[in-house]
Amino acid sequence: MKLSIRKREALAGFMFVAPYVFGLIAFVAGPMLFSLYASFTDYNITSQFNFIGLENYKHMFTKDQLFWTALKNTLIFVVLGVPSYRIAAITLSILLNNAIRGMRVFRTIFYLPVVMSGVASFLLWMQLFSPSSGLINTVLGWFGIQGPAWLYDPFWTKPALVIMGLWAAGGNMLLYLARLKGIPQQLYESAEIDGANVFQKLFKITLPMLTPIIFFDIITGMIGAFQVFQSAYVMTGGTSGGPMNSLLFYNYYLWNKAFQTFDMGYATAMSWFLFVIIMGATLFNLKFSNKWVYYEGADLE
Amino acid sequence: MIGVLREKWKSRTFRKNFGRSIVTLILLGGSIMILSPVWWMISTSLKDMQEIMHYPPTWYPHEIHWDNYVKAWKAANFTRYTLNTLFLAFFGVTANVLSNSFIAYGFAKTRFPGRKILFGIVLGTMMIPGFVTMIPRYILFTKLGWINTYLPLIVPGFFGNAFFIFLLRQFYMSIPNELIEAAMIDGASHFYIWRKIMIPLAKPAIATIAIFAFNGKWNDFVGPLLYLNSEELYTIQVGLHHFKGQVATQWNYLMAASLMALIPVVAIFFTFQSHFIEGMDVAGSSKG
């Protein structure tokens, strides 16, 4: 049987993506379907699957106080973190784009915190935030400000995490820099001929041209922020949720439910609810994007 | 004096250079803010605990205690942890380079029904929260008996990673199709083309993937935390976390250990900076 060229190419194509498809079914789609089913049971890894319908979800919403605490903590973190990281990254990239001398050195410096990530950076910031011996309160002391107890003060724990994240704002900055380079110089030049000043150029040219990448960054940023876990886990020693549970984020609570008390059915229900929230937020952003995202024509690279 | 400045201000070049200087100054200030934690980390790691607790804290250690590093290293099984992490990183890099360069070729240079939809799925999976799949995967690996082994951390890497597939596909698409068509006229199969033509041409992109994969494995915390129970299997990240529990607030040892854990990834960063920048560039300039 002689296959046509088309068919042979299709067959080859299938072979190339086969590993991915297998992985997709085995490690993504399959598990997701399983966990969806498990969310309607009381599975706890040793027991059988007892179908209990919407019990898990009902318990989540009506009887579980910590669930609401965790959700609230995560939402606060999203609201604090997502805009501030974006603003920092955009500001940095615009500044960097304008400083011709030493640009590469600055870029390296600002990207360095991104590389220094992981448990080591969490430990570093635990020391930086130390109320008595840390850098932050020392510097605040220079200005006569009595710094708070940061990681021991329920009010300041989340802002502390946001500040730690801002240190690594250089990560997203690269995304914007790449885009900034693609903005045609003629736009700025003709604006200058028309007498535009710095702010007008910023708000009428630079920012609108950046909106597609800002949009992408906000979505990925939100998806990431909703899943905050590692920092809180390490910085609270992996057991408690921080002072007054202020660092008990949604995924942290989920983790405890799944791997400490092994309430897996309940935990999977929580994870699906988070999925729904993230989907909802993403869709909301998509819908809303028409109002403010400006898509240039095909001639922009 | 003001008069002179006013005159100078009228020149556009003067204004531009003035603006540039201000920007450079701001960036310098920012750089100091970014780098001071790094300095603090180094200087704390070299102090003794008394000096650390002293108020107000000093910026430069009075006595430099190089032996903090030795003590910290010996205080926990860091040699073992490092070897473990290197082992995992090696497999992570190999698996990702092989699988993703292979899979991305299928997306970039072959046509098959459903290709667009499947690639859409690839991108879509990047939006799935990790914890949705983490719990069932844990259950799966429990049933397979893979808990407390390295298998759950190694095996999935051979089946592709959405971000790397995306990056490599972008790169492949920039290689002209004529090259492939010419090879096919000479009778080459896609597999041959992939191995002998695309891989050598894609070396820069593959290097970028390798670096990101190494970093990912080196910094992976949740995976090892979840699947590894025996202390001799721990990776550096998990080891550091437990070290914190062990020494509580002995910041000098903690900072020393943390710095040692960071050296490989920082060294790689400085050596291969261009790869980091390029990787982000591709991601940034193609979205929209």
Side-chain angles (χ1 to χ4, degrees):
Chain A
M1 181 177 74
K2 189 88 161 81
L3 288 171
S4 70
I5 294 187
R6 261 266 140 84
K7 289 218 176 98
R8 265 187 288 156
E9 176 164 327
L11 198 65
F14 283 134
M15 303 243 56
F16 274 99
V17 298
Y20 177 75
V21 174
F22 177 79
L24 186 68
I25 297 177
F27 299 120
V28 181
M32 277 177 74
L33 285 171
F34 175 83
S35 83
L36 183 61
Y37 175 68
S39 73
F40 296 116
T41 71
D42 66 354
Y43 188 64
N44 71 2
I45 210 158
T46 53
S47 78
Q48 304 300 332
F49 280 87
N50 297 321
F51 190 79
I52 55 172
L54 292 170
E55 269 310 306
N56 283 329
Y57 293 98
K58 268 203 281 184
H59 189 259
M60 240 165 67
F61 295 130
T62 58
K63 297 211 192 89
D64 194 346
Q65 189 52 41
L66 278 180
F67 168 79
W68 291 109
T69 310
L71 188 60
K72 186 190 76 170
N73 284 333
T74 301
L75 280 172
I76 293 178
F77 182 76
V78 170
V79 166
L80 282 180
V82 172
S84 48
Y85 294 165
R86 260 71 266 137
I87 294 176
I90 295 173
T91 314
L92 263 180
S93 65
I94 293 179
L95 285 173
L96 221 62
N97 202 35
N98 277 311
I100 296 300
R101 223 166 350 132
M103 203 260 241
R104 306 192 70 202
V105 176
F106 282 129
R107 204 172 54 179
T108 307
I109 292 179
F110 283 107
Y111 196 75
L112 186 61
V114 181
V115 180
M116 296 176 69
S117 62
V119 178
S121 74
F122 300 149
L123 295 184
L124 168 63
W125 279 92
M126 283 173 89
Q127 155 46 204
L128 292 175
F129 279 125
S130 163
S132 49
S133 60
L135 171 63
I136 307 283
N137 280 357
T138 306
V139 170
L140 285 177
W142 292 350
F143 300 96
I145 305 176
Q146 166 82 16
W150 293 112
L151 295 172
Y152 300 99
D153 183 336
F155 181 77
W156 286 103
T157 50
K158 287 187 274 290
L161 252 53
V162 172
I163 292 175
M164 177 173 74
L166 278 173
W167 185 56
N172 288 359
M173 160 193 84
L174 287 181
L175 269 180
Y176 294 107
L177 259 182
R179 194 69 165 189
L180 277 175
K181 292 214 176 100
I183 300 181
Q185 273 300 106
Q186 303 106 278
L187 286 176
Y188 291 114
E189 281 158 20
S190 44
E192 272 171 24
I193 293 177
D194 288 343
N197 65 27
V198 171
F199 290 106
Q200 282 169 325
K201 280 193 279 185
L202 178 66
F203 286 103
K204 300 270 169 150
I205 303 181
T206 314
L207 286 180
M209 292 301 269
L210 279 181
T211 48
I213 197 80
I214 297 180
F215 175 63
F216 168 74
D217 193 31
I218 286 185
I219 291 198
T220 45
M222 273 182 79
I223 294 178
F226 269 112
Q227 300 181 63
V228 58
F229 166 67
Q230 284 188 54
S231 44
Y233 185 87
V234 172
M235 290 168 104
T236 59
T239 45
S240 73
M244 289 190 57
N245 281 329
S246 56
L247 284 181
L248 187 70
F249 292 119
Y250 195 89
N251 270 352
Y252 197 171
Y253 186 50
L254 215 172
W255 174 277
N256 287 342
K257 276 286 169 201
F259 303 113
Q260 273 197 353
T261 58
F262 287 100
D263 286 330
M264 295 225 164
Y266 190 72
T268 53
M270 280 186 72
S271 68
W272 272 93
F273 182 65
L274 181 68
F275 193 16
V276 166
I277 293 187
I278 292 183
M279 280 288 111
T282 308
L283 282 172
F284 175 77
N285 267 313
L286 274 167
K287 271 251 134 81
F288 203 49
S289 70
N290 298 324
K291 301 271 164 84
W292 63 280
V293 180
Y294 171 72
Y295 287 102
E296 246 274 336
D299 53 306
L300 187 69
E301 79 225 310
Chain B
M1 177 67 193
I2 303 287
V4 172
L5 262 169
R6 275 231 182 92
E7 272 308 306
K8 283 226 164 120
W9 197 259
K10 293 198 182 137
S11 139
R12 246 187 65 203
T13 2
F14 180 80
R15 282 206 307 273
K16 231 184 192 148
N17 286 331
F18 185 76
R20 288 239 169 92
S21 313
I22 297 276
V23 167
T24 311
L25 253 142
I26 299 179
L27 284 174
L28 256 148
S31 303
I32 295 179
M33 287 204 295
I34 295 285
L35 289 177
S36 45
V38 181
W39 171 251
W40 194 264
M41 192 177 194
I42 299 175
S43 85
T44 306
S45 72
L46 294 170
K47 296 179 184 170
D48 62 28
M49 272 318 289
Q50 271 194 330
E51 189 179 347
I52 293 178
M53 300 314 297
H54 177 266
Y55 190 82
T58 55
W59 279 89
Y60 192 83
H62 284 148
E63 297 166 357
I64 300 192
H65 291 263
W66 296 107
D67 56 314
N68 283 348
Y69 282 85
V70 179
K71 289 204 187 121
W73 188 268
K74 291 206 181 133
N77 206 349
F78 280 114
T79 316
R80 177 96 229 167
Y81 302 156
T82 310
L83 288 171
N84 292 341
T85 315
L86 280 170
F87 181 82
L88 283 173
F90 170 75
F91 275 101
V93 170
T94 316
N96 272 301
V97 164
L98 279 176
S99 68
N100 291 307
S101 64
F102 189 72
I103 295 168
Y105 179 79
F107 280 116
K109 294 299 185 195
T110 67
R111 269 162 305 194
F112 56 89
R115 184 183 65 162
K116 287 213 173 103
I117 299 179
L118 190 62
F119 191 68
I121 293 181
V122 171
L123 294 180
T125 56
M126 291 204 265
M127 295 215 296
I128 300 177
F131 278 43
V132 170
T133 54
M134 187 180 69
I135 297 176
R137 278 163 86 147
Y138 183 80
I139 299 174
L140 169 69
F141 292 132
T142 308
K143 300 288 184 213
L144 287 174
W146 287 7
I147 300 294
N148 209 29
T149 70
Y150 286 141
L151 287 167
L153 298 169
I154 296 180
V155 172
F158 283 100
F159 296 98
N161 167 292
F163 182 63
F164 294 153
I165 293 176
F166 171 72
L167 275 185
L168 275 170
R169 176 179 174 269
Q170 291 298 108
F171 187 86
Y172 283 159
M173 294 199 316
S174 72
I175 295 179
N177 285 335
E178 287 81 33
L179 219 57
I180 297 172
E181 282 156 23
M184 292 196 82
I185 290 177
D186 287 342
S189 70
H190 272 298
F191 184 73
Y192 183 87
I193 296 173
W194 168 70
R195 233 185 59 196
K196 296 282 183 181
I197 302 182
M198 293 306 260
I199 299 275
L201 282 175
K203 281 214 184 96
I206 290 183
T208 306
I209 304 281
I211 291 171
F212 278 121
F214 180 86
N215 272 10
K217 265 293 178 273
W218 189 269
N219 290 334
D220 188 17
F221 175 64
V222 179
L225 180 73
L226 181 58
Y227 293 117
L228 303 175
N229 299 325
S230 313
E231 195 253 344
E232 63 257 15
L233 289 179
Y234 283 173
T235 62
I236 289 183
Q237 302 296 323
V238 177
L240 259 182
H241 172 66
H242 281 274
F243 190 53
K244 172 71 175 66
Q246 191 186 325
V247 302
T249 53
Q250 290 184 61
W251 295 114
N252 45 1
Y253 296 142
L254 282 168
M255 293 297 103
S258 301
L259 264 170
M260 289 192 283
L262 287 173
I263 288 175
V265 287
V266 172
I268 289 182
F269 170 63
F270 278 115
T271 323
F272 297 107
Q273 255 183 79
S274 50
H275 286 283
F276 282 84
I277 315 290
E278 259 161 49
M280 295 300 272
D281 266 0
V282 173
S285 54
S286 51
K287 264 301 156 194

